[in-house]
Amino acid sequence: MAVAVSELRERLRGDGAGTRAGRVVEVPGDVLGLGDSFRPLFADGVLRAVWEDGDAQALTFTGTARTALADGPVPVEVSFVHDGGEAVTGVSLSVELPAPGAAGEVLGRGLGIDVPPLPASASVTRLELQRADGVTVLTGEGEHGQVTVVSRSGTGRLMVVASGAWYVACADRGLTADQVSDLLAAAKGVTVALPEDGLSEGTWLVLPGGAWSGGPLVVPVRPDRPRRELDPARRDGLGRAMPVRDGAVSAVPVPRVGVRRVPHAVATDDGFVLLAPGWLASQRRAGFAFGGPTDAVSLLGFIDIGVLDGKSKAIKFDKSPLHISGGLAARKANPPYTLAVGGVLLVDTGTFHGSAIAAAYAPSAGAKPSFFAFGALTADKGIGPPAFQVRGVAGGMGWRSHLRLPDGPENVADFPFIKALRDPTSIGAKPDGTADPLQVLDHLTQGDSPWITPAQGSDDPVWVAAGLAFTVAECLDGRAMMAVQTGEDLTLALLGVVGMSFPKQPGRRKYAHVEIGLEALLKPKAGELSLSAALTSNSFVLDPNCRLRGGVAFKTWFGPSPNKGDFVVTVGGYHHNYRRPEHYPVVPRLGFDWDLSGAVTVSGDAYFALTPAAVMAGGGLDVRFHSGAVRAWLTAQVDALIQWKPFYFDVGMRVSVGVSASVKILFVRITITIEVGVSLSVWGPPTGGEAKIHLWFISFTIGFGAKRDADTNALDWPGFREMLPPSDTAVRVLPGAGLIADRPQSADGTLSDDDAWQVSSAGFTFSTDSAVPVGELYLTRSGGSPAERGSKLNIRPMDKTNRTSVQRVSVTSHDENKDLDLDAWERTPATASVPQALWGTGRGDTLPGSGEQVIPNQLTGAMLSSPGPEYGNDTGYIGEDALAFDPIDPDGVQPLDPNAQPVGPTPRRQAGVIGTIARTVAAPAQNSARAQLTQALTGLGLDLGALDTDLSAHRDAAATAFTAEPMLVPAS
């Protein structure tokens, strides 16, 4: 019998000190008439809580309680519901659990549902128990999902576990669709899509209907297979313990080993793997799937095996002369992808050997899959004439995939696909020659900078790569690869490694080996073109200890690039006083390092660079001796920096010779150093310089000529005018769409001003372009207000600032001999990046700062489009020349017989046809017949699209739509 409200208040008051914290309150679920509602949280069905605060009169309190779901006391909030009289009708209980929380299946088992293990992501840390009107609702919330268990007497129990985009439904008995709806309505806020015929008893992974045609698909979740207790007294023929005779079952569950031949789902740490060999494929659905805590169950229709994350399956074929080994493996992927499935095959035929790799990424709901594949094949002997022999080929592609290219030519040799041209097993085999697909996936797709990554977002990038390994004249070995990658930035790349050894014969001492990495990149959308080469660490000359280093690069920017107009050519880097802009390539010094017998080392370097602002070059030599306590050195360095317009040079030379010895006198060791050095710096114009002499402990400087800042070297206008393009190209007017005939040229190649452009009356576009940045753009011959304004003009070689340059644009009609109003034309300003060396600020003998090689977004002109013509209803006069035609000479052969007589029924015009159309086209009988026909065609599976069911407009227009009664042909 249920306890009365007054009795419950007495239980809550305890000894009468209802406000005293720290006392224990006990409320059995049975005396409340709530049955087993408390048992999911309290094993014996009794709520024992330490009172902290509350109101016994209002039947509410907070405190801490011990629960079967946590090791220690947890916070609880309790509120009892009554009918206004003496009957307790319900309870609301909230419990906070410490991390990692309670497993989802524990909540279901607490209410009497046999639930198999669920993913760890289904754990919950907050629980709410609601009991009212005979319905118990237990709701748990966690970091990745929610668990809801609903129980109603006479109906059954339903459990729903949702984690991200997948969910599980579990019933303790078969439930009809109405019963499912009834239980879900009591849960409030739980929305799931289940089959229309209800839910069978058991635990089901529910796959949404959006993944395929039809409604949702339910797949059973595999339960644990119990382990039978063993009887040590009973042994089989191999001496193994046998199960007890009565078949007693141990409480320790053991997952079933192997793959069932029926579809089922297996819970992992944070999702499910769906194992359904053949069955789903027969349903035209996926055969392999994986879902994470925040991703939908993803589908791959072409895989139908049971491969789990971190596991692999071996593939092997060995029948001479073909030997194949490899494997297939799966690896979790980052959102929006859930799983990466990859494989590698190593192939050896004796003559050819190679490898092939491929991987596919399974997407979550709403995303697209990603895929890439690559293969390489080499021959022990080259194919072709000695002048050019092919030793290997390779190719690959990726869809919705990004291919990371090497960072600079010095790293090209380490690019996996380039390495595969020499050794195809380098990206797919372990040292013992076997293939590990997990290792391949990790090598290519994992780490801080993976070589291949699946695409993100809505873009669908594609990359294609093809390569060739070759030998030229049996001396030069090379590997080259062409790659094209689309996407947000179209990239065309040519990568290669070229090497030569002397002598080439194996077994003989080599006196030189040079290996160079090559890289050419074109990015049309970004407006970048770069060509670069670098010596690899394997290069030497004369002696393996004489290592070569360095690189060269050319890079230019064009089109949409913010650095448009800038360029750089460098061999070995830049002048040490030059502040390299961020977008300039980094190139190592060109030089060598030679260790002679460990006592003497010789190194040298050189560089050259050309930029829009300057040219620079230099080199150095360093010789050092070290033997015991004696050290000696010789260093020499030359650096030159030259600018032009205005011309300026800065050349420095340094030579230093020194010796150092360590001597022990009595108990003291002292070091004596003697060094003689000379340095000379010369600059100009005006020419000046200084010489610095260093003799042991004495040094002094001798200056001569002009000081460094004696003159700005500013040019006058005639001197600067020579730096601008010729007058006919300094300012250009370029025709665009709508040009019919260009202006003719005279005999000397110049344009004639007497003849005008012939343009289309439908519209015409032209643009202006100036080599000098424009400060004010006018659309009149004289006067008026600027239509566009640019920046103030600076002329750096002239040391002039805040000047104004003016561009005036006018269009004269040749027929009317008057200027057109260009304000009515559509106008788009044209901007470009201009060289800092010409149009920047600062002294002419000082290099621009880092990142200031060009000045972006400078006004250089405008594009103007004429207004469209105003068309009327009158076509105007049409002359006979408009209807003329070109005769065919000689006459062709007429395929039709001009003397042939007409055949078939003769069309006849009958009176009253228009009236019949007006009366019947929208009549009820015809409307009903059309509706029946539409229904019949739709039932056959035909997609009729949008239909016009209201034909009243045709009825109203019948009298005016026809110029005469239509001609009819009798039906045959």
Side-chain angles (χ1 to χ4, degrees):
M1 178 179 292
V3 68
V5 172
S6 58
E7 182 181 348
L8 178 59
R9 287 172 177 160
E10 290 298 327
R11 285 180 175 272
L12 297 182
R13 291 192 184 98
D15 58 1
T19 60
R20 183 172 62 83
R23 60 188 179 82
V24 178
V25 177
E26 289 191 4
V27 181
D30 292 339
V31 302
L32 294 175
L34 303 181
D36 296 334
S37 299
F38 282 172
R39 295 195 182 278
L41 306 179
F42 314 105
D44 57 357
V46 179
L47 166 62
R48 295 181 180 86
V50 177
W51 181 289
E52 291 184 356
D53 191 13
D55 185 349
Q57 183 66 25
L59 303 180
T60 62
F61 72 91
T62 61
T64 59
R66 286 192 173 272
T67 173
L69 305 179
D71 295 334
V74 296
V76 296
E77 296 181 8
V78 185
S79 176
F80 295 96
V81 182
H82 60 88
D83 59 358
E86 283 294 313
V88 178
T89 59
V91 63
S92 176
L93 175 63
S94 175
V95 178
E96 296 286 345
L97 299 177
E105 62 268 18
V106 173
L107 304 183
R109 293 170 183 170
L111 284 178
I113 305 178
D114 186 14
V115 186
L118 298 175
S121 60
S123 61
V124 296
T125 56
R126 178 178 176 82
L127 295 171
E128 290 188 2
L129 177 66
Q130 302 285 340
R131 169 74 180 187
D133 300 328
V135 179
T136 301
V137 180
L138 179 61
T139 303
E141 294 183 354
E143 180 182 0
H144 296 298
Q146 184 180 50
V147 178
T148 303
V149 186
V150 188
S151 176
R152 180 192 290 273
S153 300
T155 301
R157 299 177 178 89
L158 175 65
M159 178 177 179
V160 177
V161 184
S163 181
W166 60 261
Y167 57 88
V168 168
C170 182
D172 67 337
R173 69 186 69 176
L175 299 176
T176 65
D178 293 339
Q179 290 174 327
V180 171
S181 299
D182 185 34
L183 293 174
L184 293 179
K188 296 180 181 179
V190 179
T191 303
V192 296
L194 295 175
E196 296 180 355
D197 54 354
L199 192 68
S200 301
E201 179 182 356
T203 303
W204 308 90
L205 173 65
V206 183
L207 304 180
W212 44 70
S213 60
L217 176 68
V218 292
V219 179
V221 178
R222 184 177 65 188
D224 287 344
R225 184 181 182 182
R227 177 187 299 166
R228 300 186 64 184
E229 292 184 353
L230 301 179
D231 185 358
R234 300 180 67 238
R235 300 283 176 173
D236 61 10
L238 299 178
R240 297 173 297 187
M242 299 179 62
V244 295
R245 292 184 181 276
D246 56 0
V249 178
S250 171
V252 180
V254 177
R256 180 173 179 177
V257 180
V259 178
R260 295 182 180 179
R261 303 309 297 175
V262 295
H264 58 280
V266 179
T268 63
D269 288 342
D270 55 4
F272 285 91
V273 170
L274 182 60
L275 304 176
W279 181 81
L280 289 176
S282 66
Q283 302 276 323
R284 295 185 178 180
R285 294 168 173 171
F288 184 88
F290 177 85
T294 58
D295 301 302
V297 175
S298 303
L299 307 171
L300 287 176
F302 51 85
I303 299 177
D304 194 19
I305 60 176
V307 181
L308 305 181
D309 173 50
K311 305 298 182 181
S312 61
K313 286 197 172 185
I315 300 172
K316 189 172 183 180
F317 179 85
D318 193 352
K319 188 174 182 180
S320 184
L322 180 61
H323 306 275
I324 300 176
S325 63
L328 183 67
R331 176 70 82 197
K332 291 180 183 177
N334 296 325
Y337 299 95
T338 57
L339 194 71
V341 181
V344 55
L345 291 179
L346 305 180
V347 182
D348 189 355
T349 65
T351 303
F352 299 96
H353 60 92
S355 66
I357 59 175
Y361 289 80
S364 56
K368 299 179 181 178
S370 176
F371 172 80
F372 78 87
F374 182 84
L377 190 68
T378 63
D380 295 332
K381 295 182 179 181
I383 301 174
F388 186 86
Q389 289 189 328
V390 177
R391 293 189 174 271
V393 294
M397 63 84 62
W399 177 66
R400 286 192 55 78
S401 172
H402 287 289
L403 175 65
R404 180 175 70 87
L405 298 175
D407 300 327
E410 63 275 10
N411 298 317
V412 169
D414 296 327
F415 186 49
F417 293 169
I418 288 289
K419 293 173 65 176
L421 280 169
R422 170 177 290 177
D423 179 11
T425 63
S426 61
I427 57 176
K430 294 188 291 187
D432 60 0
T434 61
D436 185 348
L438 282 175
Q439 182 181 0
V440 173
L441 278 176
D442 292 343
H443 176 61
L444 295 178
T445 65
Q446 301 293 320
D448 296 334
S449 299
W451 291 107
I452 299 175
T453 53
Q456 304 287 332
S458 59
D459 197 11
D460 292 337
V462 175
W463 62 264
V464 178
L468 192 70
F470 56 88
T471 300
V472 178
E474 298 184 355
C475 294
L476 182 67
D477 296 323
R479 290 165 285 158
M481 177 164 291
M482 181 72 181
V484 179
Q485 184 161 235
T486 66
E488 295 181 358
D489 187 11
L490 174 65
T491 301
L492 291 85
L494 177 61
L495 310 174
V497 176
V498 179
M500 177 182 289
S501 298
F502 177 79
K504 191 176 177 62
Q505 290 80 4
R508 296 185 58 184
R509 178 186 176 185
K510 289 182 171 52
Y511 293 97
H513 176 76
V514 178
E515 188 176 69
I516 301 175
L518 305 172
E519 183 181 63
L521 295 177
L522 174 61
K523 298 181 178 180
K525 290 185 178 180
E528 294 183 8
L529 171 63
S530 63
L531 308 172
S532 55
L535 290 163
T536 69
S537 59
N538 299 324
S539 302
F540 69 88
V541 65
L542 298 180
D543 185 85
N545 292 325
C546 184
R547 314 303 297 186
L548 302 179
R549 51 182 165 83
V552 300
F554 164 75
K555 195 167 186 178
T556 183
W557 293 264
F558 58 90
S561 172
N563 302 307
K564 176 184 177 182
D566 197 6
F567 72 91
V568 61
V569 178
T570 175
V571 179
Y574 311 90
H575 192 281
H576 58 85
N577 287 334
Y578 180 70
R579 291 178 292 173
R580 180 186 61 85
E582 290 294 332
H583 59 282
Y584 275 21
V586 178
V587 178
R589 277 283 192 265
L590 188 65
F592 68 94
D593 299 292
W594 194 358
D595 185 357
L596 285 78
S597 71
V600 179
T601 60
V602 181
S603 62
D605 59 65
Y607 68 90
F608 170 83
L610 175 65
T611 75
V615 61
M616 59 203 79
L621 179 67
D622 186 278
V623 181
R624 296 185 179 272
F625 169 79
H626 180 204
S627 178
V630 180
R631 299 173 182 268
W633 61 90
L634 167 65
T635 61
Q637 183 72 34
V638 177
D639 296 289
L641 175 64
I642 302 174
Q643 293 181 239
W644 48 86
K645 299 293 183 176
F647 176 75
Y648 183 80
F649 66 89
D650 187 345
V651 179
M653 295 171 284
R654 298 180 298 278
V655 178
S656 177
V657 179
V659 62
S660 175
S662 179
V663 180
K664 185 176 181 181
I665 301 177
L666 297 179
F667 302 104
V668 180
R669 179 174 293 278
I670 62 174
T671 300
I672 301 175
T673 302
I674 301 176
E675 183 177 19
V676 178
V678 178
S679 63
L680 175 64
S681 298
V682 181
W683 58 79
T687 303
E690 60 182 24
K692 188 173 183 179
I693 301 174
H694 177 75
L695 298 173
W696 196 0
F697 55 86
I698 300 175
S699 63
F700 54 91
T701 301
I702 302 174
F704 57 90
K707 301 295 184 182
R708 282 185 181 273
D709 55 354
D711 193 352
T712 62
N713 297 312
L715 298 177
D716 56 9
W717 173 249
F720 177 70
R721 181 66 182 84
E722 296 178 358
M723 301 178 65
L724 299 178
S727 57
D728 57 341
T729 59
V731 179
R732 299 179 298 173
V733 182
L734 306 174
L739 179 67
I740 296 178
D742 202 351
R743 290 177 290 177
Q745 293 184 345
S746 59
D748 59 359
T750 61
L751 293 174
S752 173
D753 294 331
D754 296 334
D755 295 284
W757 281 329
Q758 296 182 18
V759 300
S760 171
S761 60
F764 173 63
T765 298
F766 73 95
S767 59
T768 63
D769 178 59
S770 173
V772 179
V774 178
E776 296 178 353
L777 174 66
Y778 294 85
L779 300 181
T780 59
R781 288 181 180 269
S782 62
S785 301
E788 301 287 345
R789 292 184 181 273
S791 304
K792 286 293 186 179
L793 181 67
N794 302 315
I795 307 177
R796 187 167 178 269
M798 296 180 63
D799 197 21
K800 302 294 183 182
T801 59
N802 293 324
R803 296 299 195 264
T804 300
S805 62
V806 175
Q807 183 180 111
R808 291 186 176 273
V809 182
S810 61
V811 176
T812 302
S813 173
H814 183 69
D815 295 334
E816 301 178 3
N817 195 23
K818 68 175 183 180
D819 290 345
L820 303 180
D821 181 15
L822 296 183
D823 287 331
W825 289 40
E826 182 179 347
R827 181 178 68 253
T828 303
T831 60
S833 299
V834 297
Q836 167 77 13
L838 291 180
W839 310 112
T841 57
R843 291 168 52 91
D845 59 353
T846 304
L847 283 173
S850 177
E852 299 178 354
Q853 300 302 300
V854 295
I855 307 174
N857 302 321
Q858 295 299 297
L859 182 66
T860 58
M863 183 174 67
L864 299 168
S865 299
S866 66
E870 297 181 0
Y871 295 103
N873 296 325
D874 187 6
T875 60
Y877 174 74
I878 301 177
E880 63 177 356
D881 55 341
L883 304 177
F885 62 91
D886 293 331
I888 299 177
D889 186 24
D891 294 339
V893 178
Q894 172 61 262
L896 300 178
D897 183 4
N899 299 320
Q901 298 298 318
V903 296
T906 302
R908 299 183 182 276
R909 181 175 285 113
Q910 299 179 3
V913 175
I914 296 177
T916 301
I917 294 175
R919 289 192 308 272
T920 60
V921 67
Q926 279 69 25
N927 289 339
S928 176
R930 278 193 295 269
Q932 294 176 4
L933 179 60
T934 300
Q935 182 178 3
L937 294 176
T938 304
L940 294 175
L942 298 178
D943 184 5
L944 303 181
L947 299 178
D948 188 359
T949 58
D950 184 8
L951 302 183
S952 57
H954 295 273
R955 176 196 60 202
D956 299 337
T960 58
F962 297 94
T963 58
E965 297 285 358
M967 300 185 70
L968 305 179
V969 176
S972 57

